[in-house]
Every structure is written in C-alpha cells, then in structure tokens.
Amino acid sequence: MSEEKDLRIRSKVISEGANRVPNRSMLRAVGFEDDDFKKPMIGIASTWSEVTPCNVHIDALARKAKAGADTGGGAPMIFNTITVADGIAMGHEGMNYSLPSREVIADSIETVVGAERMDGVVAIGGCDKTTPACIISMGRLNLPAVYVYGGTIAPGKLDGKDIDIVNSFEAVGQYQEGQIDDAQLHRVECSACPGAGACGGMYTANTMASAVEALGMSIPGSSSTPAVNDYKEKECEQAGELVVELLRKDIYPRDIMTKKAFENAITVVMALGGSTNAFLHLTAMAHSAGVDLSYDDFERVREKVPHIADLKPSGKYVMQDLYEVGGVPAVMKELLEAGLLHGDCLTVTGKTLAENLNEAPGLKEGQQVIRSMEDAFKKTGPLVVMKGNLAPDGAVAKMSGQKISRFEGVAKVYDNEADATTAIEAGEIVEGDVLVIRNVGPKGGPGMPEMLSITAMIVGRGLNGKVALLTDGRFSGGSHGFVIGHIAPEAAAGGPIGLLQTGDTVTLDSETQEINMEVGGEELERRRQAWTAPEPRYKTGILAKYAKLVSSSARGAVTDADLDQ
C-alpha cells in the first residue's frame, strides 16, 4: 500500500522539528493536537462583518467551511478580513475607501496565509469588493483554493411588488421631484433590504460571483444560491473538503485561471448584462494570476455573446429569480451548447467546466428570466468599450435597456460628485446636457468612487436617457442610463477629460464606440499647456498610499502594476 501523500506543502516548516516547538505551542493554544500537525493547514478567510447585510451571515458559513476542511483531512483555522458596505458608503466621502478596500482585503489574506505558512485557502465573500479581492489573493498566493459566495439577498416587498436597494436610491430623486412624500420614502427605506445577502439584481456582487463561477474558482451553482438558503451552508462544507482534494491532486489557481477561463468569465458577464465593474475586477484578477487581459479581449468576446438575461437594473428580475429557474449553471449550459464557452477549462472540482455543466439541470421550462439566443435583448454584449479624444485608453458604457445609441450635448463639468449633486438638486441639469464628473478616478478620487446616487437621482427625476453622464470614476452595478465611466487616462493623471470645459460639445456613439469632444487641436493644446495636476486630496494614510501606487482603471486599478520599474 502506497504511503499517503504529505499535503503540508508549506506548513511543514512549522509542524516538524525541535526548533519549531514555540510555533506549535501557540497553535496548541487555539486547539491543535498532535494529529493536526500531520495535516495540511487550511485557512478559512472570512469576510464576516456586521457593517453590511451582504456579509452579516458569513461567520456561520466560515464555520461550515472549517468543518468541511476538517472532514476532508485538513487542519483548518478561521481568520477574518474587512469589508466595506458600498450601499452605506455611497454618495459621500466614504465611497473613496470602497475600491481601495479590494486591495486591503487581498493584501490581508495574502499576509495571513503567507505568515502562517498555510497550505490552502477557502475564502467566503459577500459585498462587491470581497469577491475579486479573494480571487486576487488566490492568484498571488497560488495555493490550492476555493471561493464561496455568501449569496444574494431576497427581494424586499412593498405594496405587493418586489423592491431592492436601487429602489431606495431612486426614491430619493422621486422625493426631490415631489412624486412621493416623507411617509412613502420611509416605507421604501424600511422595505428594500429584508435580511442577509448581497444586493439582489445583476449588480456588482452578483456579477462578480457569476464571473468567478465561470472562471472555475467556486463551487458550481454557488453564485446564484441565495444567502438565506440551507444549501449555502452545504456549499461551504463542500469547499472545505475540496481544497484538501485540490492539494492531493496538485491543482493550483493558476492552473484554473487561464486566459480561456477569463474569456469564459467575460462571456457570462456579457450574457447576464452584468456590472461595468467587471472590467476593473477581472483585469485585476487576471493580473494577479499572470494573465494578460485587456479591453481588446472584452471587445472580442462581446462581439459574439448575446445579452439574454432580463435582470435588474435594466430588466425585471433579481438573482433569486434566476436561482429558481436553474441559476448560473443553467445559463452557462445554454452558452456552452451555443459554442460560446471553453468547456475544457479546469475547475476547482477537479473536473472541466463541460463536465460540471453536464451534471447541471437546464433552464426550467416556461421561465421568463433568460431569453433564447435567437430572441436576445441584444445580439452582442451590452458592456461596450468606447474610445476617442476624450478617452484614448478607453471608457466603459453599459448599454442594456438603452433605446438610444448616440448622444450629443453640451458639457456641464464638475470636479467632484458633491458639486454635481448640488447642481442636480437645484435643477441645473436639464434634458440634452452631458454631465461630466472628473477628478474622481483611481488617483483623483482617490479611490474611483461609484456614482449610484447621481445616476439614481437622474432616473428619479425622469431624465433617464435624456441626460448623459461621463466620469473618470465608476458606477455601481445598480446604475443604468446613458452613463460612461472608467474614462482613461483620468483627469488627475493628465487625461483629456481634465481639459474639457463647460459649454464644449460632446458626442457619444455606442455603435461606432466613439467618445469625443468637439474641440480643435490648437485649443486643446492651449488648454493642455495651461493644465496643472490637482493637489492630492490626502497626504497621509491609506488613500494617500493608494493614490501614489494605483494604476489606471484600464489596467484594473491595481497597486502592484509597476513595482518592477
């Protein structure tokens, strides 16, 4: 009989030898016994927090993952990292910390696993930044790893209709327009979020969970299983068992996170009509795994993938509805049969994507959430890269639900979100305007804040499609309308958006994928010569460090892009 393979690929430096007695003494204090030192040490990275419903239940899920790792033959230990509640940080200075939190989470998981010499990782995320952050850490560490999504929230109920957090944001605009009173506004506030789980539509959290499942790094089906569902705990147990099995099979994240796997992730995002934040996060995740992923790759995939999901914010349904008709695996099964996925990609199950999907049920008969390929909302993906003299390195637009593809208007330029908010509240933004919010990119924000409050106010005031919004910041997955973000280079880095002036004519065309300001070359050069970089808003602390290190949004807004230069 062959000897059992030693799975302690890194922890052996702690678990053997007389000189490691002090190290083991520390571990005995937290529950380790003799037999545990013969097993691989598995880190359970929990993003549990009471600051957001997205993550409030993850402590219980982490304990289930720990139990699964123990059953599988590992010696598991739970540790925590932070989360930021985007819905709470939105619309004020707190949002500057949201995107940087992705790097803090990734750095902290890498730090703990590296310091403690763990052999494998299970990570459980919830709110927007936790999913990509967990995957970024896995790509960097390249140790056997499995991700589990904490799951989506159930829809809220008001007057017999489903509502969610975006309804709360849009109700503010309705209130300001006098369409609803204080009492109705309060009813919306009290009804939108009924319990645990991440925002319910195809917003950023659900988008990234779906992308990670397509990437092959999570339990099949786990991206669409709701937070309040008994099977979510079973998924976490499975993840704990699986990570030990990955050690036995020598399967590492970089074996799974290949270029073709990222193409699968982009395909699913396009088909579902996901968040524009997928561009930032997938690019950053690919960077962590040593995969070259650019806007050209997104465009190449977009051109052949139809938008087939009727999901919020541009559609009618939420993630729980998708779960009830077959979930993300059923959608992926349709895409695979249409020849739009690479079925031979390896996954955390040890099987290929095609093998996983062969075991999954198809879409429920008679369902209305997902259309057929022939009856797609759009024959190509709705997340469009645009370029022009306003965005030489690219910008990102979400065109799902848009009846117009071209917009020409006069720019009204603001150097921060607060001034733009005041202008909207004062009725200064009117039909035909191109609202520009700049100096809010990764460096300029710093932190590239989301503009959900702004877009929701525009929608709430009845200006959806009548006003365009441009920014070097970004949008929530809940944003919709004629909105273009991620403009690169950003204003703070000398990008052309910093040269735009109120009164300039701006032309946007999603068909030709152009974004231009109608300003002559000589005038632009004069403005460029007169331009000076804005003074950094923060001189110390995390935001100062972030602004100094962060790359362009077109490169994923990562903080380790140019460390070798």
Side-chain angles (χ1 to χ4, degrees), residues 310-369:
D310 190 8
L311 293 167
K312 287 185 175 185
S314 56
K316 291 190 293 187
Y317 299 101
V318 294
M319 193 62 147
Q320 182 163 305
D321 297 315
L322 178 58
Y323 168 76
E324 289 170 356
V325 302
V328 170
V331 177
M332 289 172 62
K333 198 160 187 162
E334 296 285 314
L335 294 168
L336 181 65
E337 289 173 1
L340 297 174
L341 289 175
H342 303 292
D344 59 343
C345 287
L346 185 63
T347 74
V348 292
T349 65
K351 301 176 182 178
T352 66
L353 187 75
E355 288 171 332
N356 288 343
L357 293 177
N358 187 52
E359 300 171 7
L363 287 166
K364 192 173 180 180
E365 192 172 341
Q367 61 83 32
Q368 301 293 314
V369 182

Short mmCIF file of all heavy atoms in Angstrom, two decimals, residues 310-369:
data_model
loop_
_atom_site.label_atom_id
_atom_site.label_comp_id
_atom_site.label_asym_id
_atom_site.label_seq_id
_atom_site.Cartn_x
_atom_site.Cartn_y
_atom_site.Cartn_z
N ASP A 310 -32.95 38.96 -18.40
CA ASP A 310 -33.86 40.06 -18.07
C ASP A 310 -33.71 40.37 -16.57
O ASP A 310 -34.62 40.16 -15.77
CB ASP A 310 -35.30 39.65 -18.40
CG ASP A 310 -36.27 40.82 -18.32
OD1 ASP A 310 -35.80 41.96 -18.16
OD2 ASP A 310 -37.49 40.59 -18.44
N LEU A 311 -32.55 40.88 -16.21
CA LEU A 311 -32.21 41.10 -14.81
C LEU A 311 -32.02 42.59 -14.52
O LEU A 311 -31.57 43.35 -15.37
CB LEU A 311 -30.92 40.35 -14.46
CG LEU A 311 -31.01 38.82 -14.49
CD1 LEU A 311 -29.63 38.20 -14.45
CD2 LEU A 311 -31.85 38.31 -13.32
N LYS A 312 -32.36 42.99 -13.30
CA LYS A 312 -32.13 44.36 -12.88
C LYS A 312 -30.63 44.67 -12.92
O LYS A 312 -29.83 43.77 -12.75
CB LYS A 312 -32.67 44.57 -11.45
CG LYS A 312 -34.18 44.60 -11.36
CD LYS A 312 -34.63 44.94 -9.95
CE LYS A 312 -36.14 45.10 -9.87
NZ LYS A 312 -36.58 45.55 -8.55
N PRO A 313 -30.24 45.93 -13.21
CA PRO A 313 -31.06 47.14 -13.15
C PRO A 313 -31.82 47.48 -14.43
O PRO A 313 -32.75 48.26 -14.40
CB PRO A 313 -30.04 48.24 -12.86
CG PRO A 313 -28.80 47.75 -13.53
CD PRO A 313 -28.81 46.27 -13.33
N SER A 314 -31.42 46.89 -15.58
CA SER A 314 -32.11 47.24 -16.82
C SER A 314 -33.30 46.34 -17.10
O SER A 314 -34.15 46.66 -17.94
CB SER A 314 -31.13 47.17 -18.01
OG SER A 314 -30.53 45.89 -18.08
N GLY A 315 -33.41 45.22 -16.38
CA GLY A 315 -34.51 44.29 -16.60
C GLY A 315 -35.45 44.21 -15.41
O GLY A 315 -35.49 45.10 -14.56
N LYS A 316 -36.19 43.10 -15.31
CA LYS A 316 -37.25 42.97 -14.31
C LYS A 316 -36.89 42.11 -13.11
O LYS A 316 -37.42 42.30 -12.02
CB LYS A 316 -38.50 42.35 -14.98
CG LYS A 316 -39.18 43.24 -15.98
CD LYS A 316 -40.53 42.66 -16.43
CE LYS A 316 -40.35 41.39 -17.22
NZ LYS A 316 -41.63 40.90 -17.80
N TYR A 317 -36.01 41.13 -13.30
CA TYR A 317 -35.84 40.09 -12.28
C TYR A 317 -34.56 40.28 -11.46
O TYR A 317 -33.68 41.07 -11.82
CB TYR A 317 -35.84 38.71 -12.96
CG TYR A 317 -37.13 38.41 -13.68
CD1 TYR A 317 -37.22 38.54 -15.06
CD2 TYR A 317 -38.26 38.01 -12.97
CE1 TYR A 317 -38.41 38.26 -15.72
CE2 TYR A 317 -39.45 37.73 -13.62
CZ TYR A 317 -39.53 37.86 -15.01
OH TYR A 317 -40.70 37.60 -15.66
N VAL A 318 -34.48 39.52 -10.35
CA VAL A 318 -33.31 39.56 -9.48
C VAL A 318 -32.67 38.16 -9.43
O VAL A 318 -33.20 37.20 -9.97
CB VAL A 318 -33.68 40.05 -8.06
CG1 VAL A 318 -34.13 41.50 -8.11
CG2 VAL A 318 -34.74 39.16 -7.41
N MET A 319 -31.54 38.08 -8.75
CA MET A 319 -30.76 36.84 -8.72
C MET A 319 -31.55 35.68 -8.16
O MET A 319 -31.41 34.54 -8.63
CB MET A 319 -29.48 37.06 -7.92
CG MET A 319 -28.45 35.95 -8.08
SD MET A 319 -27.89 35.81 -9.79
CE MET A 319 -26.18 35.31 -9.56
N GLN A 320 -32.37 35.91 -7.17
CA GLN A 320 -33.16 34.82 -6.61
C GLN A 320 -34.11 34.24 -7.65
O GLN A 320 -34.33 33.03 -7.68
CB GLN A 320 -33.95 35.30 -5.39
CG GLN A 320 -34.76 34.17 -4.73
CD GLN A 320 -35.21 34.50 -3.33
OE1 GLN A 320 -34.40 34.83 -2.47
NE2 GLN A 320 -36.50 34.43 -3.08
N ASP A 321 -34.64 35.08 -8.53
CA ASP A 321 -35.48 34.59 -9.63
C ASP A 321 -34.68 33.69 -10.56
O ASP A 321 -35.17 32.65 -11.02
CB ASP A 321 -36.06 35.76 -10.43
CG ASP A 321 -36.98 36.65 -9.59
OD1 ASP A 321 -37.82 36.10 -8.85
OD2 ASP A 321 -36.86 37.88 -9.68
N LEU A 322 -33.45 34.10 -10.84
CA LEU A 322 -32.59 33.28 -11.70
C LEU A 322 -32.30 31.94 -11.03
O LEU A 322 -32.34 30.89 -11.68
CB LEU A 322 -31.28 34.02 -12.01
CG LEU A 322 -30.26 33.26 -12.85
CD1 LEU A 322 -30.84 32.84 -14.19
CD2 LEU A 322 -29.00 34.10 -13.05
N TYR A 323 -32.03 31.96 -9.73
CA TYR A 323 -31.78 30.72 -8.99
C TYR A 323 -32.96 29.76 -9.13
O TYR A 323 -32.77 28.55 -9.35
CB TYR A 323 -31.53 31.05 -7.53
CG TYR A 323 -31.54 29.85 -6.61
CD1 TYR A 323 -30.45 28.98 -6.57
CD2 TYR A 323 -32.63 29.59 -5.78
CE1 TYR A 323 -30.45 27.88 -5.73
CE2 TYR A 323 -32.63 28.49 -4.94
CZ TYR A 323 -31.54 27.63 -4.92
OH TYR A 323 -31.55 26.53 -4.09
N GLU A 324 -34.16 30.30 -9.05
CA GLU A 324 -35.36 29.45 -9.07
C GLU A 324 -35.63 28.83 -10.43
O GLU A 324 -36.39 27.87 -10.54
CB GLU A 324 -36.56 30.27 -8.59
CG GLU A 324 -36.49 30.57 -7.09
CD GLU A 324 -37.52 31.58 -6.63
OE1 GLU A 324 -38.26 32.11 -7.49
OE2 GLU A 324 -37.58 31.87 -5.41
N VAL A 325 -35.03 29.35 -11.49
CA VAL A 325 -35.25 28.76 -12.83
C VAL A 325 -34.03 28.00 -13.34
O VAL A 325 -33.98 27.60 -14.50
CB VAL A 325 -35.67 29.84 -13.86
CG1 VAL A 325 -36.93 30.55 -13.40
CG2 VAL A 325 -34.54 30.85 -14.13
N GLY A 326 -33.05 27.78 -12.46
CA GLY A 326 -31.89 26.98 -12.87
C GLY A 326 -30.55 27.59 -12.52
O GLY A 326 -29.52 26.90 -12.56
N GLY A 327 -30.51 28.87 -12.22
CA GLY A 327 -29.29 29.51 -11.78
C GLY A 327 -28.25 29.71 -12.86
O GLY A 327 -28.48 29.44 -14.05
N VAL A 328 -27.09 30.18 -12.45
CA VAL A 328 -25.99 30.45 -13.38
C VAL A 328 -25.56 29.19 -14.15
O VAL A 328 -25.27 29.27 -15.34
CB VAL A 328 -24.81 31.10 -12.63
CG1 VAL A 328 -23.57 31.18 -13.51
CG2 VAL A 328 -25.21 32.51 -12.17
N PRO A 329 -25.53 28.00 -13.52
CA PRO A 329 -25.15 26.81 -14.30
C PRO A 329 -26.07 26.57 -15.51
O PRO A 329 -25.60 26.16 -16.57
CB PRO A 329 -25.26 25.67 -13.29
CG PRO A 329 -25.04 26.32 -11.97
CD PRO A 329 -25.69 27.66 -12.09
N ALA A 330 -27.36 26.82 -15.34
CA ALA A 330 -28.29 26.62 -16.46
C ALA A 330 -28.00 27.61 -17.60
O ALA A 330 -28.10 27.26 -18.78
CB ALA A 330 -29.73 26.76 -15.98
N VAL A 331 -27.65 28.84 -17.24
CA VAL A 331 -27.29 29.83 -18.26
C VAL A 331 -26.00 29.41 -18.95
O VAL A 331 -25.88 29.47 -20.19
CB VAL A 331 -27.12 31.23 -17.62
CG1 VAL A 331 -26.67 32.25 -18.68
CG2 VAL A 331 -28.42 31.68 -16.97
N MET A 332 -25.03 28.96 -18.17
CA MET A 332 -23.76 28.52 -18.75
C MET A 332 -23.95 27.31 -19.66
O MET A 332 -23.26 27.16 -20.67
CB MET A 332 -22.77 28.22 -17.63
CG MET A 332 -22.28 29.47 -16.90
SD MET A 332 -21.28 29.11 -15.43
CE MET A 332 -19.90 28.25 -16.16
N LYS A 333 -24.90 26.47 -19.30
CA LYS A 333 -25.19 25.30 -20.14
C LYS A 333 -25.67 25.74 -21.51
O LYS A 333 -25.26 25.19 -22.55
CB LYS A 333 -26.24 24.43 -19.44
CG LYS A 333 -26.34 23.01 -19.95
CD LYS A 333 -27.02 22.12 -18.92
CE LYS A 333 -26.96 20.68 -19.36
NZ LYS A 333 -27.21 19.75 -18.27
N GLU A 334 -26.53 26.77 -21.53
CA GLU A 334 -27.00 27.33 -22.81
C GLU A 334 -25.84 27.90 -23.61
O GLU A 334 -25.75 27.72 -24.82
CB GLU A 334 -28.03 28.44 -22.54
CG GLU A 334 -29.31 27.99 -21.86
CD GLU A 334 -30.24 27.25 -22.81
OE1 GLU A 334 -30.44 27.73 -23.95
OE2 GLU A 334 -30.75 26.18 -22.42
N LEU A 335 -24.96 28.62 -22.93
CA LEU A 335 -23.83 29.25 -23.60
C LEU A 335 -22.85 28.20 -24.14
O LEU A 335 -22.30 28.36 -25.23
CB LEU A 335 -23.11 30.19 -22.63
CG LEU A 335 -23.91 31.43 -22.19
CD1 LEU A 335 -23.22 32.11 -21.01
CD2 LEU A 335 -24.08 32.41 -23.35
N LEU A 336 -22.66 27.13 -23.37
CA LEU A 336 -21.77 26.06 -23.83
C LEU A 336 -22.32 25.37 -25.07
O LEU A 336 -21.60 25.13 -26.05
CB LEU A 336 -21.56 25.04 -22.70
CG LEU A 336 -20.61 23.88 -23.02
CD1 LEU A 336 -19.19 24.38 -23.23
CD2 LEU A 336 -20.65 22.83 -21.91
N GLU A 337 -23.62 25.10 -25.04
CA GLU A 337 -24.26 24.45 -26.19
C GLU A 337 -24.21 25.33 -27.44
O GLU A 337 -24.20 24.83 -28.56
CB GLU A 337 -25.71 24.08 -25.85
CG GLU A 337 -25.80 22.93 -24.85
CD GLU A 337 -27.23 22.67 -24.36
OE1 GLU A 337 -28.15 23.39 -24.82
OE2 GLU A 337 -27.40 21.77 -23.52
N ALA A 338 -24.16 26.64 -27.23
CA ALA A 338 -24.07 27.58 -28.35
C ALA A 338 -22.63 27.78 -28.81
O ALA A 338 -22.37 28.59 -29.72
CB ALA A 338 -24.69 28.92 -27.96
N GLY A 339 -21.70 27.10 -28.17
CA GLY A 339 -20.30 27.20 -28.56
C GLY A 339 -19.62 28.46 -28.08
O GLY A 339 -18.59 28.86 -28.64
N LEU A 340 -20.15 29.05 -27.01
CA LEU A 340 -19.62 30.34 -26.54
C LEU A 340 -18.74 30.23 -25.31
O LEU A 340 -18.20 31.24 -24.84
CB LEU A 340 -20.79 31.30 -26.25
CG LEU A 340 -21.64 31.67 -27.48
CD1 LEU A 340 -22.85 32.49 -27.05
CD2 LEU A 340 -20.80 32.43 -28.50
N LEU A 341 -18.57 29.02 -24.77
CA LEU A 341 -17.69 28.81 -23.62
C LEU A 341 -16.63 27.78 -23.97
O LEU A 341 -16.85 26.88 -24.79
CB LEU A 341 -18.49 28.32 -22.41
CG LEU A 341 -19.42 29.30 -21.71
CD1 LEU A 341 -20.20 28.58 -20.62
CD2 LEU A 341 -18.66 30.48 -21.11
N HIS A 342 -15.47 27.91 -23.33
CA HIS A 342 -14.41 26.90 -23.44
C HIS A 342 -14.70 25.81 -22.42
O HIS A 342 -14.43 25.96 -21.23
CB HIS A 342 -13.05 27.53 -23.16
CG HIS A 342 -12.70 28.68 -24.04
ND1 HIS A 342 -12.44 28.54 -25.39
CD2 HIS A 342 -12.55 30.00 -23.77
CE1 HIS A 342 -12.15 29.72 -25.92
NE2 HIS A 342 -12.22 30.62 -24.95
N GLY A 343 -15.26 24.72 -22.88
CA GLY A 343 -15.67 23.65 -21.96
C GLY A 343 -14.53 22.87 -21.37
O GLY A 343 -14.71 22.15 -20.38
N ASP A 344 -13.33 22.99 -21.94
CA ASP A 344 -12.20 22.19 -21.48
C ASP A 344 -11.42 22.84 -20.34
O ASP A 344 -10.41 22.29 -19.90
CB ASP A 344 -11.25 21.89 -22.65
CG ASP A 344 -10.70 23.16 -23.31
OD1 ASP A 344 -11.28 24.25 -23.11
OD2 ASP A 344 -9.71 23.04 -24.06
N CYS A 345 -11.88 23.98 -19.84
CA CYS A 345 -11.18 24.65 -18.74
C CYS A 345 -11.34 23.88 -17.44
O CYS A 345 -12.44 23.42 -17.10
CB CYS A 345 -11.71 26.07 -18.57
SG CYS A 345 -11.18 27.21 -19.88
N LEU A 346 -10.26 23.77 -16.70
CA LEU A 346 -10.26 23.08 -15.41
C LEU A 346 -10.96 23.93 -14.36
O LEU A 346 -10.95 25.16 -14.44
CB LEU A 346 -8.81 22.83 -15.00
CG LEU A 346 -8.55 22.00 -13.73
CD1 LEU A 346 -9.07 20.59 -13.89
CD2 LEU A 346 -7.04 21.99 -13.44
N THR A 347 -11.59 23.29 -13.37
CA THR A 347 -12.28 23.99 -12.29
C THR A 347 -11.87 23.41 -10.94
O THR A 347 -11.18 22.39 -10.86
CB THR A 347 -13.81 23.88 -12.43
OG1 THR A 347 -14.23 22.54 -12.08
CG2 THR A 347 -14.27 24.20 -13.85
N VAL A 348 -12.33 24.05 -9.85
CA VAL A 348 -11.97 23.59 -8.50
C VAL A 348 -12.54 22.22 -8.17
O VAL A 348 -12.11 21.60 -7.18
CB VAL A 348 -12.40 24.60 -7.41
CG1 VAL A 348 -11.58 25.87 -7.50
CG2 VAL A 348 -13.89 24.88 -7.48
N THR A 349 -13.49 21.73 -8.93
CA THR A 349 -14.00 20.37 -8.68
C THR A 349 -13.01 19.31 -9.14
O THR A 349 -13.18 18.13 -8.83
CB THR A 349 -15.34 20.14 -9.40
OG1 THR A 349 -15.11 20.19 -10.82
CG2 THR A 349 -16.37 21.18 -9.01
N GLY A 350 -11.99 19.73 -9.89
CA GLY A 350 -11.07 18.79 -10.50
C GLY A 350 -11.56 18.32 -11.85
O GLY A 350 -10.85 17.60 -12.57
N LYS A 351 -12.77 18.71 -12.20
CA LYS A 351 -13.36 18.39 -13.49
C LYS A 351 -13.31 19.62 -14.39
O LYS A 351 -13.04 20.72 -13.94
CB LYS A 351 -14.82 17.95 -13.32
CG LYS A 351 -15.01 16.73 -12.44
CD LYS A 351 -16.49 16.43 -12.26
CE LYS A 351 -16.71 15.24 -11.34
NZ LYS A 351 -18.16 14.97 -11.12
N THR A 352 -13.58 19.40 -15.66
CA THR A 352 -13.65 20.53 -16.58
C THR A 352 -15.00 21.25 -16.43
O THR A 352 -15.95 20.70 -15.85
CB THR A 352 -13.50 20.08 -18.04
OG1 THR A 352 -14.63 19.27 -18.39
CG2 THR A 352 -12.21 19.33 -18.25
N LEU A 353 -15.07 22.43 -16.99
CA LEU A 353 -16.32 23.18 -16.98
C LEU A 353 -17.43 22.38 -17.66
O LEU A 353 -18.56 22.31 -17.16
CB LEU A 353 -16.12 24.52 -17.69
CG LEU A 353 -17.29 25.50 -17.62
CD1 LEU A 353 -17.37 26.13 -16.24
CD2 LEU A 353 -17.12 26.61 -18.67
N ALA A 354 -17.12 21.76 -18.78
CA ALA A 354 -18.12 20.97 -19.51
C ALA A 354 -18.61 19.80 -18.67
O ALA A 354 -19.81 19.48 -18.66
CB ALA A 354 -17.55 20.49 -20.83
N GLU A 355 -17.71 19.15 -17.96
CA GLU A 355 -18.11 18.01 -17.11
C GLU A 355 -19.01 18.48 -15.97
O GLU A 355 -20.00 17.81 -15.65
CB GLU A 355 -16.86 17.33 -16.54
CG GLU A 355 -16.09 16.54 -17.58
CD GLU A 355 -14.74 16.05 -17.08
OE1 GLU A 355 -14.16 16.70 -16.17
OE2 GLU A 355 -14.27 15.01 -17.58
N ASN A 356 -18.70 19.62 -15.37
CA ASN A 356 -19.57 20.18 -14.33
C ASN A 356 -20.96 20.46 -14.89
O ASN A 356 -21.99 20.14 -14.26
CB ASN A 356 -19.00 21.48 -13.77
CG ASN A 356 -17.78 21.26 -12.90
OD1 ASN A 356 -17.51 20.14 -12.44
ND2 ASN A 356 -17.03 22.32 -12.67
N LEU A 357 -21.02 21.09 -16.05
CA LEU A 357 -22.30 21.50 -16.63
C LEU A 357 -23.10 20.31 -17.12
O LEU A 357 -24.34 20.37 -17.17
CB LEU A 357 -22.08 22.50 -17.77
CG LEU A 357 -21.50 23.85 -17.34
CD1 LEU A 357 -21.23 24.74 -18.54
CD2 LEU A 357 -22.43 24.56 -16.36
N ASN A 358 -22.43 19.23 -17.46
CA ASN A 358 -23.14 18.02 -17.88
C ASN A 358 -24.00 17.48 -16.75
O ASN A 358 -25.04 16.86 -16.99
CB ASN A 358 -22.13 16.96 -18.33
CG ASN A 358 -22.80 15.76 -18.95
OD1 ASN A 358 -23.63 15.89 -19.86
ND2 ASN A 358 -22.45 14.58 -18.47
N GLU A 359 -23.58 17.74 -15.50
CA GLU A 359 -24.32 17.28 -14.33
C GLU A 359 -25.39 18.27 -13.88
O GLU A 359 -26.20 17.97 -13.00
CB GLU A 359 -23.35 17.02 -13.18
CG GLU A 359 -22.29 15.97 -13.49
CD GLU A 359 -21.20 15.90 -12.44
OE1 GLU A 359 -21.35 16.58 -11.40
OE2 GLU A 359 -20.21 15.17 -12.65
N ALA A 360 -25.39 19.46 -14.45
CA ALA A 360 -26.32 20.52 -14.01
C ALA A 360 -27.62 20.46 -14.78
O ALA A 360 -27.63 20.15 -15.98
CB ALA A 360 -25.68 21.89 -14.21
N PRO A 361 -28.75 20.77 -14.13
CA PRO A 361 -30.03 20.84 -14.85
C PRO A 361 -30.05 22.06 -15.76
O PRO A 361 -29.34 23.04 -15.53
CB PRO A 361 -31.06 20.96 -13.73
CG PRO A 361 -30.30 21.56 -12.58
CD PRO A 361 -28.90 21.06 -12.70
N GLY A 362 -30.90 22.00 -16.78
CA GLY A 362 -31.05 23.14 -17.68
C GLY A 362 -32.06 24.14 -17.13
O GLY A 362 -32.55 24.00 -16.00
N LEU A 363 -32.36 25.14 -17.92
CA LEU A 363 -33.34 26.14 -17.52
C LEU A 363 -34.72 25.53 -17.36
O LEU A 363 -35.12 24.67 -18.15
CB LEU A 363 -33.38 27.28 -18.54
CG LEU A 363 -32.18 28.24 -18.55
CD1 LEU A 363 -32.19 29.07 -19.82
CD2 LEU A 363 -32.19 29.13 -17.31
N LYS A 364 -35.44 25.97 -16.36
CA LYS A 364 -36.79 25.48 -16.09
C LYS A 364 -37.72 25.83 -17.26
O LYS A 364 -37.69 26.95 -17.78
CB LYS A 364 -37.30 26.14 -14.81
CG LYS A 364 -38.54 25.54 -14.23
CD LYS A 364 -38.82 26.19 -12.87
CE LYS A 364 -40.06 25.62 -12.24
NZ LYS A 364 -40.33 26.27 -10.93
N GLU A 365 -38.51 24.89 -17.66
CA GLU A 365 -39.41 25.12 -18.79
C GLU A 365 -40.42 26.23 -18.49
O GLU A 365 -40.98 26.30 -17.40
CB GLU A 365 -40.17 23.82 -19.11
CG GLU A 365 -40.89 23.86 -20.43
CD GLU A 365 -41.48 22.51 -20.83
OE1 GLU A 365 -41.04 21.47 -20.27
OE2 GLU A 365 -42.36 22.50 -21.69
N GLY A 366 -40.62 27.12 -19.44
CA GLY A 366 -41.58 28.20 -19.29
C GLY A 366 -41.06 29.41 -18.55
O GLY A 366 -41.79 30.38 -18.34
N GLN A 367 -39.78 29.38 -18.14
CA GLN A 367 -39.22 30.51 -17.38
C GLN A 367 -39.12 31.76 -18.25
O GLN A 367 -39.04 31.67 -19.48
CB GLN A 367 -37.86 30.13 -16.79
CG GLN A 367 -36.79 29.75 -17.81
CD GLN A 367 -36.08 30.94 -18.40
OE1 GLN A 367 -35.90 31.97 -17.76
NE2 GLN A 367 -35.68 30.81 -19.66
N GLN A 368 -39.10 32.92 -17.60
CA GLN A 368 -39.09 34.20 -18.31
C GLN A 368 -37.82 35.02 -18.05
O GLN A 368 -37.66 36.11 -18.61
CB GLN A 368 -40.30 35.05 -17.87
CG GLN A 368 -41.65 34.39 -18.12
CD GLN A 368 -41.95 34.25 -19.60
OE1 GLN A 368 -41.75 35.18 -20.38
NE2 GLN A 368 -42.40 33.07 -20.00
N VAL A 369 -36.94 34.51 -17.22
CA VAL A 369 -35.77 35.30 -16.80
C VAL A 369 -34.70 35.34 -17.88
O VAL A 369 -34.07 36.37 -18.11
CB VAL A 369 -35.17 34.73 -15.49
CG1 VAL A 369 -34.00 35.58 -15.01
CG2 VAL A 369 -36.24 34.65 -14.40
#
